[in-house]
Amino acid sequence: MSSHSSFSRRQFGGMLAAAVGAAGAPALAAAAQPKGAPMQAHPLIKPARLRQGDLVALVAPAGLLDEDDITRAISNIESLGLRVTLGTHIRAVHGNYAGTVQQRLDDLHAAFRDPQVKAVWAIRGGSGCISLLAHIDYKMIRANPKILIGYSDITALHLAIHRHTGLVTFHGPVASSTFSDYTVTHLQAVLMQPQEQYTIPMALENHRRAQTQPNFTIRTVHGGQATGRLTGGNLCMVSALAGTPYAAEFEQRIVFLEEINEAPYRVDRMLYQLDLASKLSSAAALMLGVFMHCEAEEGGSSLTLEQTVDQHLLPLTATAVAGYSFGHIRDQFTLPMGILATLDAERQTLTLLEAAVS
């Protein structure tokens, strides 16, 4: 127990009165700040855009890699006209993680510290990023802002780094993903060709897949337009961080969520957790991506994925959609964390209202 716990209410009141007497009303406001109140947001920092020939650091902050992952990642990055450097511990093994916490942390820090590196790209997701959050040198990252890209478990890094530094990071393909034309087009537009406004349509290929795979179907639960700053990522990670100092802040944000390999009852529980911790109703909009392999087993008594999701979206009044082109899928667009955007449910587009890179 900390020494603060031994103070009586009378002692605390005396200290508070003394503070007010010495410094006036501002001291009262500071002293009365609730313990659990969200931290004041850092000013938004936009990393420098990527250019042909820039050096990209490939890191593995989460799951274990194999040589095919590394080979494919290098090929993908070089196909964009970029150069590659590998993290020192990228082939390390610690259970199902790509090295110990310290090894993964060292590679992440080294990539941000290296002045030659212009982007830090996660080779894959998996699990393990959450173990890094309490040890990250956020002050150093804020002093060395650069592009961070990845999705799935990398959501933990996006949320923590954005909240503690203000840096715009990018929920996009991991380096070992299969890069489709759609994925590359929108990745390059966001990271390499900054525009004051950029409208992202949904992938035609995903529309085609919807004919045989219902989870690819775009659904509008509540229509209209909504504008807000982007936050979110993998549902499992967003819910795991709820109530922690690294949690996503939902109020007046466009909250985007995606998932893979979770049964409807688990999706239901995670959405309830988010609502209890962060209030889904406080968001400007809910934008769900493609949830892969999240349907109930045939013959069971479970709700369907659609029924499960709608239990949470239907009571809302804000714009709410599902089946948008991001998640554990081939054709996905890149979402810049913290950037102001407009979701248009009628046009089925997301428009970035500012450049995400400088």
Side-chain angles (χ1 to χ4, degrees), residues 100-341:
T100 63
V101 170
Q102 192 62 55
Q103 287 174 322
R104 289 178 281 136
L105 187 69
D106 286 348
D107 280 3
L108 182 68
H109 282 164
F112 273 98
R113 284 196 186 100
D114 188 340
Q116 301 302 313
V117 168
K118 303 305 179 184
V120 183
W121 208 321
I123 289 189
R124 62 158 296 190
S127 62
C129 282
I130 196 169
S131 63
L132 307 184
L133 303 189
H135 309 289
I136 291 174
D137 187 341
Y138 297 100
K139 184 177 180 180
M140 181 275 294
I141 290 176
R142 184 171 173 79
N144 297 275
K146 56 191 64 175
I147 289 167
L148 172 68
I149 321 171
Y151 77 111
S152 191
D153 198 63
I154 312 304
T155 294
L157 298 183
H158 290 314
L159 293 178
I161 289 173
H162 180 69
R163 181 160 179 176
H164 285 268
T165 71
L167 178 64
V168 175
T169 65
F170 299 86
H171 181 281
V174 292
S176 62
S177 295
T178 299
F179 281 18
S180 71
D181 290 343
Y182 176 87
T183 297
V184 170
T185 293
H186 296 295
L187 179 74
Q188 290 179 319
V190 171
L191 298 180
M192 305 178 78
Q193 302 154 6
Q195 304 170 46
E196 290 187 6
Q197 285 198 11
Y198 180 66
T199 297
I200 304 169
M202 298 305 105
L204 290 176
E205 184 58 33
N206 291 341
H207 281 290
R208 296 188 187 100
R209 288 194 180 99
Q211 297 174 17
T212 56
Q213 301 177 63
N215 56 318
F216 280 87
T217 301
I218 293 178
R219 296 193 305 116
T220 298
V221 180
H222 294 294
Q225 289 185 344
T227 297
R229 297 199 175 275
L230 292 165
T231 191
N234 176 254
L235 173 59
C236 185
M237 288 311 308
V238 177
S239 64
L241 293 177
T244 75
Y246 314 102
E249 297 173 285
F250 282 11
E251 190 170 359
Q252 296 305 304
R253 265 69 162 191
I254 295 176
V255 178
F256 62 92
L257 300 168
E258 61 83 25
E259 193 50 87
I260 186 171
N261 294 336
E262 298 288 358
Y265 80 92
R266 292 175 62 87
V267 170
D268 187 44
R269 184 176 66 207
M270 289 186 281
L271 287 171
Y272 269 117
Q273 182 179 357
L274 284 183
D275 194 31
L276 290 170
S278 305
K279 294 295 180 189
L280 295 177
S281 61
S282 72
L286 270 292
M287 180 174 67
L288 274 55
V290 177
F291 281 44
M292 289 297 294
H293 311 304
C294 291
E295 284 292 354
E297 294 182 7
E298 290 188 18
S301 57
S302 171
L303 295 174
T304 66
L305 174 64
E306 183 174 322
Q307 289 171 326
T308 298
V309 166
D310 284 358
Q311 284 191 139
H312 299 272
L313 298 187
L314 283 172
L316 305 177
T317 57
T319 301
V321 298
Y324 276 46
S325 298
F326 64 93
H328 287 71
I329 57 176
R330 181 174 180 268
D331 297 279
Q332 60 172 296
F333 62 89
T334 295
L335 290 138
M337 193 77 69
I339 289 298
L340 194 65

Side-chain angles (χ1 to χ4, degrees), residues 52 72-84 121 175 179 184 187-188 192:
Q52 293 287 311
R72 186 165 57 253
I74 293 172
S75 176
N76 281 339
I77 304 308
E78 290 181 342
S79 73
L80 300 175
L82 303 166
R83 297 179 296 120
V84 175
W121 208 321
F179 281 18
V184 170
L187 179 74
Q188 290 179 319
M192 305 178 78

Side-chain angles (χ1 to χ4, degrees), residues 55-59 74 77 83-88 90 111 114 117 119:
L55 185 65
V56 173
L58 289 179
V59 297
I74 293 172
I77 304 308
R83 297 179 296 120
V84 175
T85 182
L86 299 179
T88 300
I90 206 160
D114 188 340
V117 168

